[in-house]
Amino acid sequence: MNQLIRQCWAGKAANMREQLAVFLRLFQRILWLLFALYVLPCKALDSPPLAHYRVAIDREYAPYEFLDASGTAQGYTPNLLRAIGTAAHVEFEFIALDWPDALAALEAGKVDIINMIRTPERAARYQFSTPHSRIAQAIFRHHEQSKIVDLDSLAGHAVGLQKNDISAVLLAHRSDFKAHFVDSKIDGLMHLNLGKTDAFLCAEQSCVRAIAEYNFLNIDLAEGNLFAQDFAFATHRNNPVLLALLNQQLSQLETSGRMNALKVQWLQGSVHRASWLENNLLAVLVVTAVALVLLWNVLLRKLVRVRTKRLQQHLVFADALNKIAHSVMTRVDAESIFDEVIQVLSATLQTDRALIYDISYRHHHAQALCECLNPAHPEISATKATYSLDLFIAAADEIRRTRQPLSSQYDAINAHLLDTEAGAILHRDMQIRSLLWYPFAFREDGFYMFALNQIYADKSYSQVELDFLASVSQMVSIALEKIRLLAESQHLSFYDALTQLPNRRLLLDRLQQALLASARSEKAGAVLFIDLDYFKTINDTLGHLAGDSLLQQVAQRLSGCVREGDTVARLGGDEFIVMLENLSRLNTEAIEQTRVIGMKILAALAEPYDLAGQHFKTTSSIGATVFMGAQHSTEELIKQSDIAMYQAKQVGRNGLQFYAASLTPAH
């Protein structure tokens, strides 16, 4: 290129054509140079990776591998693989799993790489890269198990091991301790902190970080590492290309110092073993600090006991709520739900006597629905009864107004129990040391209430216990509402919504039962089909509200005309059915009995009606048919009475006609 430039500027070309050719060749080479400098590197950057590999990581194995708050894989090994991916132009996809699931994913071929310690069994199944780090395994012990210092001292103790962890694999041959296998490292440390196990074996760095993060105060680190193992990448044996890539890049990262930089970033300083020992050797501090250290130790142990007790209490409450939830979900009657709930409440809160009351202002009473007595005190007497609300009216009014629980003590009687004799009856006569009335399921005419009594001890309920009662109350309230809606739905399935009379579905069922009863008793029955004569005129003139009011008044009058055991039903519109049972065995007498009741109905329905403050009159037409036994179906009997009713309208309305075969239209 330099030669071309010199030829151009020196004018060595013979003529203008030669000079132009020189310039064109120079310009072409400059373009190729720019393309090589700028375009080709960009294309290389935009090209897709040469390969894509899936990597299973343990979601809780910091600082080696874990998920940060944003769900991104972090730690030493993910960043080591990212460095390999950048250098080799390959892509790694990180899949966070629990350790047993990660091993299962590798076994099933769902992932290509996993990070683990090499053992003979694993080496027979997978191929391993060159080691990239070492992991120290350690013994963590409960603070009361100071004699546990090494593997030999584990004999006879309950030892926690994570499933498929290297400690569990290498100690599988040991049978001199009680192995308790857990699914995760956190579960193992939690059991150890609660004293369910005496020791737990796991990776030192990872467990120390977890102890600090979860504030497990009852755990000590036994001195000395159990063993240290090489950490390497494991792949399937049918992928030698991937193994060669990993080994090549690990060698280059170690040579370049990049691997050591990652170890400094993630592994060094993540566990300060000396600081851990200092926390357990405070006695070596100066003599002037010994008193403060001992005091702090006492306070800390007390705090741990309080927190442990609180956690155990939460577990008890959770178990109780599960039982109550199961009862609420599987039972459909309030009585059985109440019985189960009061049993669970009494056992959970350790009451001497527990009851559920129905406080009803409509009936003006407090009715005990169920009761549970402490079986440890058989001398405690039952108090399940119904009391007049006057006895507790002040307390009931206060609960109804505030919707808050009410408590009272033997030596500090609640003021709302002093307005009546309730305080003396409860605390003196019934010998209740302390009580709590916890209301729930408020309704227009009252509410339900848990009554929790202590006979032998004073008790003040903590906020945790009150929160537990609030959860129970909410679940029981939901159950009562479910029962109410089911009953309402069932009622709507069999009763007319406007008149509350049986509908056609319930009528047909009762009529079928009446036919069978008639066949057994040989007594007659009758069906009366009633239709209002001028309902459409009233409905169109006064409106649907007046029409609905008329139908409701008709239903009331019909119910007042029949005997106990007879049925009044509404078919729809202005059509009603009256079914009579247990009439005479003689047909003529049964017809006469039906006629008497039919005439009574005609007279009752002809009386004036009060509609929107005005009096209106209307009449009705009735068709009747008498049956004996089950000779006819229910639909046939209704059809016969319907035919007779239309005959009554044809002869002038406001009358009663009996069905005869001659009235049936010809087909």
Side-chain angles (χ1 to χ4, degrees):
M1 185 180 292
N2 292 334
Q3 183 180 1
L4 289 173
I5 294 173
R6 286 195 299 270
Q7 289 178 359
C8 178
W9 289 104
K12 291 183 178 181
N15 49 43
M16 291 297 294
R17 180 177 295 177
E18 292 178 351
Q19 292 181 9
L20 180 59
V22 171
F23 275 107
L24 288 176
R25 281 181 291 175
L26 174 63
F27 183 72
Q28 184 180 17
R29 294 189 181 186
I30 291 174
L31 288 178
W32 274 109
L33 179 62
L34 292 175
F35 181 83
L37 289 175
Y38 295 102
V39 178
L40 291 179
C42 292
K43 286 184 173 293
L45 290 175
D46 293 339
S47 61
L50 298 177
H52 176 90
Y53 298 106
R54 295 158 299 174
V55 183
I57 66 168
D58 190 337
R59 65 174 77 246
E60 294 181 348
Y61 204 62
Y64 293 95
E65 50 195 32
F66 61 95
L67 291 181
D68 62 13
S70 65
T72 303
Q74 292 293 355
Y76 169 66
T77 52
N79 284 282
L80 182 62
L81 287 172
R82 290 189 180 103
I84 292 175
T86 301
H89 197 50
V90 296
E91 183 178 54
F92 294 103
E93 175 189 356
F94 298 100
I95 302 174
L97 301 167
D98 293 330
W99 180 241
D101 295 335
L103 287 175
L106 180 65
E107 177 71 20
K110 296 180 180 180
V111 296
D112 304 302
I113 302 174
I114 195 171
N115 204 39
M116 63 180 176
I117 294 172
R118 177 171 179 161
T119 65
E121 292 80 4
R122 292 173 177 175
R125 182 172 297 179
Y126 308 110
Q127 55 185 359
F128 284 80
S129 69
T130 54
H132 53 70
S133 58
R134 288 180 68 80
I135 293 184
Q137 302 292 320
I139 299 177
F140 292 85
R141 66 193 179 194
H142 193 271
H143 69 86
E144 295 179 352
Q145 301 292 336
S146 59
K147 293 183 179 180
I148 297 178
V149 295
D150 53 23
L151 286 176
D152 293 336
S153 58
L154 293 176
H157 288 281
V159 180
L161 296 170
Q162 184 179 354
K163 295 177 182 177
N164 298 320
D165 184 66
I166 187 63
S167 298
V169 174
L170 296 179
L171 299 180
H173 65 285
R174 291 280 299 269
S175 59
D176 56 341
F177 58 78
K178 302 175 184 177
H180 290 258
F181 292 97
V182 294
D183 292 326
S184 68
K185 168 188 62 186
I186 302 303
D187 290 342
L189 292 174
M190 183 177 294
H191 289 178
L192 179 59
N193 190 63
L194 294 175
K196 294 183 178 180
T197 56
D198 302 324
F200 182 64
L201 277 62
C202 65
E204 179 182 0
Q205 287 181 311
S206 181
C207 284
V208 168
R209 287 173 65 106
I211 290 170
E213 179 181 355
Y214 288 88
N215 197 26
F216 292 141
L217 302 178
N218 291 333
I219 299 178
D220 293 339
L221 174 63
E223 297 182 12
N225 295 329
L226 292 177
F227 48 81
Q229 295 285 333
D230 289 332
F231 217 18
F233 296 119
T235 67
H236 295 284
R237 287 193 166 277
N238 60 359
N239 201 343
V241 175
L242 174 58
L243 180 64
L245 181 144
L246 292 173
N247 287 333
Q248 179 186 7
Q249 294 301 323
L250 286 173
S251 176
Q252 294 179 3
L253 289 175
E254 185 175 14
T255 303
S256 65
R258 177 60 175 160
M259 182 184 296
N260 186 62
L262 289 173
K263 289 181 180 178
V264 172
Q265 178 184 356
W266 291 102
L267 303 183
Q268 293 185 12
S270 61
V271 177
H272 183 38
R273 190 176 182 85
S275 175
W276 175 267
L277 294 175
E278 289 166 5
N279 288 334
N280 293 274
L281 295 175
L282 294 178
V284 301
L285 297 175
V286 291
V287 176
T288 56
V290 170
L292 293 177
V293 171
L294 293 176
L295 177 61
W296 169 251
N297 187 48
V298 172
L299 293 176
L300 190 60
R301 290 181 181 275
K302 182 177 179 180
L303 177 61
V304 170
R305 286 193 294 269
V306 170
R307 290 187 177 182
T308 302
K309 182 179 180 180
R310 187 176 302 172
L311 177 60
Q312 293 171 343
Q313 188 179 46
H314 280 294
L315 293 176
V316 171
F317 288 163
D319 181 62
L321 290 175
N322 285 334
K323 293 179 180 178
I324 293 174
H326 180 267
S327 176
V328 167
M329 292 294 295
T330 57
R331 305 192 181 190
V332 294
D333 63 296
E335 182 179 356
S336 63
I337 291 176
F338 283 154
D339 287 339
E340 175 72 15
V341 168
I342 205 63
Q343 294 287 339
V344 174
L345 268 186
S346 180
T348 304
L349 298 177
Q350 299 179 345
T351 63
D352 293 329
R353 182 192 294 123
L355 306 97
I356 295 180
Y357 280 96
D358 179 10
I359 309 300
S360 174
Y361 281 81
R362 181 161 61 94
H363 298 101
H364 207 71
H365 68 210
Q367 180 184 10
L369 303 177
C370 57
E371 182 178 28
C372 179
L373 303 177
N374 189 343
H377 298 286
E379 70 279 5
I380 297 177
S381 59
T383 60
K384 181 181 177 183
T386 300
Y387 304 91
S388 172
L389 197 57
D390 291 333
L391 187 61
F392 312 103
I393 191 64
D397 288 345
E398 177 66 11
I399 292 175
R400 192 183 191 189
R401 182 184 66 83
T402 63
R403 299 199 169 195
Q404 294 297 318
L406 182 146
S407 61
S408 182
Q409 307 291 333
Y410 182 85
D411 53 356
I413 300 177
N414 190 287
H416 296 94
L417 297 176
L418 294 174
D419 294 344
T420 61
E421 297 180 357
I425 293 174
L426 292 168
H427 291 293
R428 184 192 62 197
D429 299 342
M430 294 185 175
Q431 299 181 342
I432 298 175
R433 294 292 302 178
S434 62
L435 64 85
L436 176 69
W437 290 353
Y438 199 99
F440 64 96
F442 286 89
R443 58 186 188 274
E444 186 175 349
D445 71 324
F447 53 90
Y448 293 93
M449 181 179 76
F450 297 127
L452 309 178
N453 300 336
Q454 298 296 137
I455 308 300
Y456 299 106
D458 297 325
K459 179 177 177 62
S460 296
Y461 287 85
S462 66
Q463 187 58 49
V464 176
E465 292 172 319
L466 293 176
D467 291 341
F468 167 68
L469 282 170
S471 299
V472 174
S473 301
Q474 186 176 18
M475 284 195 290
V476 177
S477 298
I478 293 173
L480 293 176
E481 180 65 12
K482 179 190 72 172
I483 293 172
R484 185 190 69 79
L485 291 175
L486 287 174
E488 182 178 320
S489 174
Q490 186 175 17
H491 181 81
L492 291 176
S493 299
F494 294 99
Y495 289 87
D496 176 57
L498 178 63
T499 63
Q500 301 304 311
L501 293 177
N503 58 16
R504 184 185 186 92
R505 180 181 179 183
L506 183 56
L507 169 67
L508 293 176
D509 180 71
R510 290 187 180 180
L511 183 54
Q512 182 62 41
Q513 298 301 321
L515 293 176
L516 298 176
S518 174
R520 290 192 301 268
S521 65
E522 296 183 354
K523 290 185 177 181
V527 175
L528 288 78
F529 196 115
I530 303 160
D531 185 85
L532 302 182
D533 290 333
Y534 304 105
F535 175 73
K536 186 176 187 304
T537 302
I538 295 175
N539 204 38
D540 293 343
T541 304
L542 301 180
H544 292 293
L545 292 179
D548 290 346
S549 177
L550 174 62
L551 294 174
Q552 290 171 336
Q553 294 180 51
V554 168
Q556 293 174 356
R557 295 184 186 186
L558 288 174
S559 299
C561 292
V562 298
R563 306 161 303 167
E564 184 177 356
D566 296 333
T567 297
V568 178
R570 182 188 177 204
L571 289 185
D574 60 342
E575 296 177 341
F576 296 84
I577 292 287
V578 171
M579 184 186 70
L580 306 177
E581 294 187 70
N582 294 318
L583 299 179
S584 174
R585 288 185 172 88
L586 299 177
N587 189 56
T588 55
E589 291 182 3
I591 292 175
E592 184 58 30
Q593 290 172 325
T594 304
R595 186 185 305 280
V596 170
I597 295 176
M599 298 306 294
K600 183 179 179 181
I601 292 174
L602 287 174
L605 298 185
E607 292 294 324
Y609 295 89
D610 183 2
L611 302 177
Q614 302 182 47
H615 292 287
F616 290 87
K617 280 190 173 185
T618 185
T619 58
S620 60
S621 298
I622 303 176
T625 184
V626 176
F627 61 86
M628 175 71 75
Q631 298 176 356
H632 301 283
S633 68
T634 56
E635 292 291 350
E636 287 175 341
L637 292 176
I638 293 177
K639 183 178 180 181
Q640 290 174 5
S641 60
D642 186 19
I643 293 172
M645 181 273 296
Y646 276 105
Q647 180 67 16
K649 284 187 178 291
Q650 291 174 4
V651 298
R653 303 177 185 250
N654 194 25
L656 168 65
Q657 289 289 326
F658 280 85
Y659 170 77
S662 60
L663 297 179
T664 305
H667 293 285

